[in-house]
Amino acid sequence: MSVHSKLYEGKAKIIYTTDEPGVLLANFKDDATAFNAQKRGTIADKGTINCSISSKLFQELETHGIPTHYIDNPSPGQMRVRAVKILPLEVVLRNIAAGSLCQQTGLPLGTILKQPLVEFYYKNDQLGDPLLTRDRLYLLELATPEQLDTITHLALKINDVLSNFFQRCGITLVDFKLEFGLDAQQRMLLADEISPDTCRLWDTYAGSDLDGRVLDKDRFRRDLGNVEHAYQEVLQRVLKAVDGN
Ligand code: ADP
Ligand code: MG
């Protein structure tokens, strides 16, 4: 496979076209941003770590029947993926209250939700990725009702698979963000990445100090320190869990 040209450079990845039709190469970067890119930095080895974690999670999801864009991992930090037309939606699944849910509802941090909460945000950096209502989503024609049903069904199943997987890692899956897209056959595929950049992951058994349990980008967002170590720790536990240990 040879790489053609840069298709898109985002905050966390550079996407290249390749000589294979319908195949793109995602190059994961060490750059870290938060609060809609108002805070910027780098996290050592984040690109390769997130690429590896994402690859393992996509493979785990595929074995459970979730269609994803993942093809393979030709070299560290690089993922071959099926090209899709990304829906401009950030699909957020929450099991435990954190982040904007606490800020906007007053629910205390760490509240266990009675059932998973599925939310849709408008993937639009200029507007600051606002929370959508179903009617606004239809008004803007971001997805059809059928597509939204498919996405919701997939997102809940993904939550089950990932929650179980992370449980085996001694990690609590608090919440996460997904992106979906349509391939040339109009098939809805899970795309983008699943990593400590896009999930809240809490060490299940690390004691009562909540901040001490954080193994995700909140360490960067909130200057909690040991950011690289947390990302490495997640990777090690993910690799151990896929090896069946
Ligand atoms: P962002 O700054 O929007 O978070 P990223 O750097 O995370 O962007 O990713 C780069 C872009 O690649 C994003 O717009 C993402 O939606 C897009 N993308 C992810 N997977 C695919 C895919 N399979 N096909 C096409 N685009 C994709
Ligand atoms: Mg991104």
Side-chain angles (χ1 to χ4, degrees):
M1 175 202 62
S2 70
V3 165
H4 281 184
S5 57
K6 194 192 272 193
L7 182 65
Y8 182 83
E9 175 157 6
K11 298 185 290 292
K13 300 179 288 296
I14 306 175
I15 308 285
Y16 297 94
T17 58
T18 71
D19 55 1
E20 284 178 73
V23 175
L24 302 175
L25 186 76
N27 203 109
F28 285 64
K29 306 196 287 186
D30 291 347
D31 299 352
T33 61
F35 311 116
N36 199 17
Q38 288 172 59
K39 181 182 169 96
R40 290 171 186 275
T42 58
I43 299 172
D45 299 325
K46 177 171 85 75
T48 54
I49 295 172
N50 279 2
C51 182
S52 300
I53 294 171
S54 258
S55 298
K56 296 298 176 195
L57 296 177
F58 282 134
Q59 289 171 71
E60 175 73 12
L61 289 165
E62 289 275 357
T63 66
H64 286 85
I66 304 289
T68 82
H69 73 157
Y70 177 78
I71 299 172
D72 60 14
N73 200 189
S75 59
Q78 298 199 324
M79 192 191 288
R80 289 199 317 145
V81 300
R82 292 177 192 89
V84 295
K85 194 167 184 304
I86 296 277
L87 299 182
L89 291 176
E90 302 212 333
V91 181
V92 171
L93 245 113
R94 300 177 183 273
N95 298 305
I96 295 178
S100 65
L101 181 64
C102 296
Q103 285 157 18
Q104 294 172 5
T105 65
L107 275 175
L109 176 68
T111 306
I112 296 171
L113 308 183
K114 288 203 186 76
Q115 57 187 47
L117 178 65
V118 186
E119 298 179 320
F120 302 100
Y121 293 80
Y122 189 11
K123 186 174 160 58
N124 183 317
D125 284 340
Q126 264 123 47
L127 298 176
D129 300 335
L131 177 64
L132 290 167
T133 63
R134 227 159 242 271
D135 286 341
R136 284 187 183 184
L137 197 156
Y138 295 143
L139 173 77
L140 298 174
E141 299 183 356
L142 303 180
T144 66
E146 293 74 26
Q147 287 172 340
L148 216 56
D149 280 353
T150 304
I151 288 172
T152 304
H153 178 82
L154 286 171
L156 288 168
K157 175 136 187 231
I158 291 164
N159 184 43
D160 283 346
V161 174
L162 292 184
S163 292
N164 276 315
F165 179 83
F166 278 120
Q167 198 177 11
R168 287 196 271 131
C169 301
I171 290 173
T172 303
L173 180 59
V174 174
D175 58 35
F176 58 98
K177 182 269 297 179
L178 301 172
E179 293 181 24
F180 291 89
L182 294 168
D183 70 5
Q185 290 76 45
Q186 299 300 110
R187 227 171 42 119
M188 188 71 74
L189 302 185
L190 175 64
D192 205 49
E193 65 178 273
I194 310 174
S195 70
D197 274 9
T198 65
C199 301
R200 281 197 174 86
L201 304 168
W202 291 355
D203 197 339
T204 310
Y205 306 109
S208 54
D209 169 35
L210 261 188
D211 286 354
R213 295 173 55 194
V214 171
L215 293 174
D216 57 63
K217 198 164 86 171
D218 273 347
R219 298 208 78 82
F220 170 78
R221 283 191 195 97
R222 297 168 47 212
D223 295 316
L224 297 176
N226 293 321
V227 187
E228 292 90 349
H229 178 264
Y231 279 62
Q232 291 279 8
E233 181 67 25
V234 173
L235 174 60
Q236 293 317 316
R237 293 198 200 182
V238 165
L239 293 176
K240 219 174 151 195
V242 291
D243 285 346
N245 292 309

